[in-house]
Amino acid sequence: MKILVITEQRDGKWNKVSFETLAAAQQIVREAGGGLSAAVVGKQIDALAAELSGYQLDEVHFIQHDLLEKYTPDGYTIALRRLIEQTKPDLVLLPHTYQVRDFAPKLAASLQKGMIGDCIGHRYEGGKLTFVRQMFQGRTNADVVFLGDAPWVASFQAGAYRADLAAKRTSGNAPVSPFAVDLQPSQIRTKPLELFREAKQAVDLTQAPILVSVGRGIKAPENIALAEKLAKAIGGELCASRPICDEGWLPMDRQIGSSGQTVAPKLYLALGISGAIQHVVGMKGSRTIAAINKDQNAPIFEVADFGVVGDLFEIVPALIEELEKPH
Amino acid sequence: MKIGVCVKQVPAKDAPLTVADGGAWIREADIGFEMNEPDAYALEEALRLKEKHNGEVVAISMGPERAKQAIKEALAKGADRAIHIADAEFFKLDPLSSARSIAAAIKNENFDLILTGLQSDDQGFGQTGVLLAELLDRPHATIIMQIDVAEGRMKLKRELEAGWFQWVELPLPAVLSIQSGINKPRYATLKGIMAAKKKEIATVERASLGVPDAPTQRVERIYVPQKTKKTEFITGQPKEIAAKLVEKLRHEARVIS
C-alpha cells in the first residue's frame, strides 16, 4: 500500500498532530507493506521539509508557492489534487484538524472519492484495512471500510496515535522533491485575513491542579453556583463543556475540549458531562478523572477512574458537606 | 438574499441507543428524534440574515418521513418553505452520496447562500457543507462564528483551534458551515407554529434524483466501545457516595488534600 501523509503547518510551525498521523501511516506500512511519502505545503518551509526528511519515509513532497503561504481551501485542494494525481498513492492520510475538516472532503470529492474522517484507529486483518471512528457523540464506535478504487482519503483524530512513536531514520535523509504547482490568483476565491485571539484569557486552566467541570446535566444557569461551591470546597477551578459556554452560562475561556483548552490536571471532576469526543480529547490526559452522571452508559465513564451514576443535584451538596468537614 | 439551510433530524440526546439487527445502525423504534443541534444554529443564522437583508429562507432536510418533524420546526421558527428529500434508508448513505443527493435536489434553486451546521450529532461526518460547495462549484468556509454581508461579499469570523480566530472574505454565492454557539436559537412561537401549517413542503424522492449508486465507504458495524480504563463505580445513598468518593480521592488517588 502506497501512503501519502499530508502534514500541516502554519507560519513555519508544525501542527504536531501531523506526526501522530505520520506514526499511524508508518504502522500501516509495517502491517500492510508498501511505501510512505509525506507532503509539506506552504511558503518558506525549507526547514520543515528538512526536518520531515529525517523521519522514516521514502520521499518528502515539497510544495511551495506564494499563493500557498496562507491556507485557502481552493489553493490547498488544487495543489494537493495535482500531487495525488501524479504520485498516485493508494491511501492519503491527514490529521483531523480544523483546517483538514475545511478542505479534505473537497479534495477527496474533486477526485470523485470519499473520505473517512475523524478516525480514532485502524485495523489491518487478512489484507483488509478497517477504520474505526466514533458515532453518536462517542456513544458508539463504527468500523468503516472504503469501497471502490484508490485513492482513499482518511483523517485521524488528535490523540489517536502517539507522535513520539513516529520513527526517525537511523542514518541519512529521505529525498526532498519539490513539486511544482501552477496556481493563479483567480483560482482562489477565499481571501484569508488576519489571525487573532479574543481578549486575553483570564484563567489559565492548564495550570490548575484540580478542575470541576460542568456539562448539560447542570440544566440551568442558576445551578452553576452549586458547581462553583464545589470547586471552592475542593480547591479547584471551574470549567465546562462546550454547550455550557455556547449558552453563555460560563465564559468561553472556561471551555475544555477540541475547540477550547486541553488540560491534564491531577483531578478532573466531571458533573453532568456526557463525554462527547470533542470534550474528551481536551481532558483525557488528566491523572484522575471522577464523573457524576445520571446515564450509566454515558461515554464519560469510558475514561473515568471513579464513576457515580446518579443525580448530581443530590450528590454534589453531599460532596460539599463532606469536603467541608474537618479532617 | 435567498438562503438554503440544511437541517437533519437525529436521535434525541437522551435517547437510549441499541444496535439494530445487522449491526450497522441503531434500532429506531421507540426512540425520540429532534433537530440536530448544530443545525439549529445554522437555521437561526439564516433567519437573522433574512431579517437583516430580506429574502427567503428554505429549509432542506433529507431523511425518512419522520424528518418532516424537523422541517416543521424550521418552518415554525420562520423558514419560508422547505424541501424534503425523502429516503427511508438514507442512514446507509456515505457522506459523498448524501451531498450529491442534496446538491441534485437544490441545484435549480440558485441559493445566494447555503448554511449547514458543523456536523450531525449522529453520524458526525462533518462533511456536508464542504462537499456541497465542491459539487455546486461554490466557495466555502467552515466553523463560522460571525457573518457580515456587504455588496455581494461576506466577511467571516472563522474559529481555529486553541482560542485562535481568523477573518476571511468570500464572494457570494457561497456555502458556510456554522459553528455551534454563534447565536442563541429562538423558540418557535404559537403564531409561528400556526403559520407553519400553511407553508409549502416540497417532497422529492431521493431515488428520482438520478444520483449514481456509487458508495465510497461502508459502515460495517457499530458497537459500544470496549472500555480501556477500569472505572470504579461508587454506589449508595448520596451521603455515603460523597464520603466514599472523598475518601478515595484523598487517600487512594491522593489528588485532594
Side-chain angles (χ1 to χ4, degrees), chain B:
Chain B
M1 228 179 166
K2 189 174 169 183
I3 305 169
V5 57
C6 298
V7 295
K8 184 179 187 181
Q9 194 197 37
V10 299
K13 271 184 203 70
D14 54 359
L17 299 183
T18 50
V19 177
D21 297 342
W25 191 240
I26 51 157
R27 209 168 280 152
E28 289 201 358
D30 311 324
I31 63 167
F33 289 86
E34 62 190 15
M35 185 188 292
N36 181 45
E37 187 177 88
D39 298 343
Y41 289 101
L43 171 65
E44 177 63 33
E45 208 53 28
L47 296 173
R48 289 183 188 199
L49 285 168
K50 182 197 154 180
E51 282 157 8
K52 215 163 162 185
H53 303 281
N54 297 319
E56 185 186 23
V57 172
V58 181
I60 303 146
S61 189
M62 183 157 65
E65 186 62 23
R66 61 168 165 76
K68 281 211 176 116
Q69 204 50 48
I71 289 175
K72 284 176 186 160
E73 185 183 333
L75 294 173
K77 285 182 172 181
D80 298 286
R81 62 186 170 92
I83 299 168
H84 175 211
I85 306 161
D87 184 345
E89 295 203 310
F90 96 116
F91 66 86
K92 289 184 179 167
L93 296 176
D94 64 321
L96 185 57
S97 303
S98 285
R100 280 176 170 157
S101 306
I102 298 170
I106 65 171
K107 66 175 188 296
N108 294 327
E109 291 278 352
N110 293 311
F111 289 113
D112 296 307
L113 188 60
I114 297 168
L115 301 183
T116 70
L118 191 68
Q119 61 190 28
S120 59
D121 285 345
D122 55 356
Q123 288 157 314
F125 293 130
Q127 299 188 22
T128 303
V130 176
L131 290 173
L132 283 178
E134 173 67 17
L135 297 169
L136 296 168
D137 194 21
R138 301 273 198 265
H140 78 268
T142 57
I143 323 183
I144 300 303
M145 285 298 281
Q146 189 181 323
I147 304 173
D148 297 317
V149 183
E151 290 156 14
R153 287 185 73 80
M154 293 183 290
K155 190 174 178 189
L156 306 164
K157 182 177 159 188
R158 274 194 74 206
E159 187 177 313
L160 307 179
E161 282 134 332
W164 285 90
F165 296 87
Q166 183 180 26
W167 291 109
V168 298
E169 275 182 22
L170 274 191
L172 287 166
V175 182
L176 302 179
S177 293
I178 301 299
Q179 173 65 301
S180 298
I182 183 176
N183 54 37
K184 229 176 152 39
R186 70 193 64 189
Y187 292 100
T189 60
L190 189 58
K191 200 175 144 210
I193 294 166
M194 297 310 289
K197 295 189 172 156
K198 295 196 195 79
K199 291 177 178 173
E200 178 204 342
I201 302 176
T203 297
V204 41
E205 291 296 326
R206 200 189 76 81
S208 73
L209 291 168
V211 173
D213 182 24
T216 60
Q217 57 190 260
R218 180 176 64 227
V219 174
E220 298 213 308
R221 80 188 176 104
I222 63 171
Y223 51 96
V224 176
Q226 269 191 343
K227 286 173 76 79
T228 47
K229 206 164 182 178
K230 198 170 151 27
T231 305
E232 184 177 347
F233 282 97
I234 297 166
T235 55
Q237 293 303 309
K239 272 186 194 305
E240 294 169 57
I241 290 172
K244 283 190 222 167
L245 182 59
V246 169
E247 162 71 20
K248 289 198 180 286
L249 294 178
R250 227 174 236 156
H251 301 295
E252 201 174 295
R254 297 181 189 206
V255 288
I256 60 173
S257 55

Side-chain angles (χ1 to χ4, degrees), chain A residues 5-241:
Chain A
V5 169
I6 296 171
T7 62
E8 180 170 321
Q9 62 87 30
R10 189 165 75 209
D11 296 332
K13 289 195 189 75
W14 291 116
N15 184 323
K16 298 233 163 65
V17 190
S18 303
F19 292 93
E20 297 178 11
T21 307
L22 187 64
Q26 287 176 338
Q27 193 185 327
I28 296 172
V29 168
R30 277 196 295 274
E31 293 160 351
L36 173 62
S37 65
V40 55
V41 184
K43 197 189 164 190
Q44 294 179 325
I45 47 171
D46 304 65
L48 298 184
E51 189 186 338
L52 199 54
S53 73
Y55 281 83
Q56 246 175 45
L57 38 78
D58 305 313
E59 190 176 10
V60 173
H61 303 291
F62 176 72
I63 311 181
Q64 182 155 254
H65 196 287
D66 285 349
L67 291 173
L68 296 172
E69 181 176 14
K70 287 202 170 118
Y71 163 78
T72 60
D74 288 332
Y76 269 52
T77 299
I78 293 168
L80 290 167
R81 190 185 65 221
R82 300 234 167 99
L83 178 71
I84 292 168
E85 282 168 348
Q86 272 197 30
T87 62
K88 296 190 169 47
D90 299 303
L91 179 62
V92 180
L93 294 177
L94 305 101
H96 193 75
T97 61
Y98 276 23
Q99 183 166 301
V100 163
R101 297 163 74 128
D102 195 63
F103 78 87
K106 174 181 166 73
L107 172 63
S110 77
L111 295 155
Q112 311 297 317
K113 300 294 170 192
M115 169 185 175
I116 303 179
D118 207 7
C119 300
I120 56 168
H122 79 279
R123 288 198 312 274
Y124 184 75
E125 296 157 337
K128 181 176 160 191
L129 183 59
T130 304
F131 291 87
V132 182
R133 63 186 302 281
Q134 292 174 306
M135 282 197 189
F136 300 99
Q137 302 265 300
R139 291 164 76 189
T140 74
N141 280 359
D143 287 352
V144 192
V145 294
F146 280 109
L147 301 173
D149 300 331
W152 305 299
V153 180
S155 64
F156 285 113
Q157 190 179 102
Y161 292 84
R162 282 174 53 184
D164 61 328
L165 294 183
K168 295 199 170 159
R169 295 168 79 95
T170 44
S171 66
N173 280 27
V176 175
S177 318
F179 184 82
V181 285
D182 178 31
L183 264 179
Q184 303 301 324
S186 60
Q187 292 173 295
I188 295 175
R189 297 168 291 186
T190 309
K191 190 172 166 195
L193 303 172
E194 72 273 17
L195 268 64
F196 63 100
R197 295 188 96 147
E198 305 270 73
K200 219 173 152 44
Q201 296 189 342
V203 281
D204 187 357
L205 296 175
T206 62
Q207 298 302 312
I210 298 174
L211 288 171
V212 173
S213 192
V214 292
R216 272 182 213 282
I218 200 78
K219 286 187 181 151
E222 57 269 24
N223 298 332
I224 296 284
L226 179 65
E228 213 160 12
K229 209 171 158 202
L230 176 60
K232 197 160 169 256
I234 207 167
E237 286 283 349
L238 194 59
C239 59
S241 63

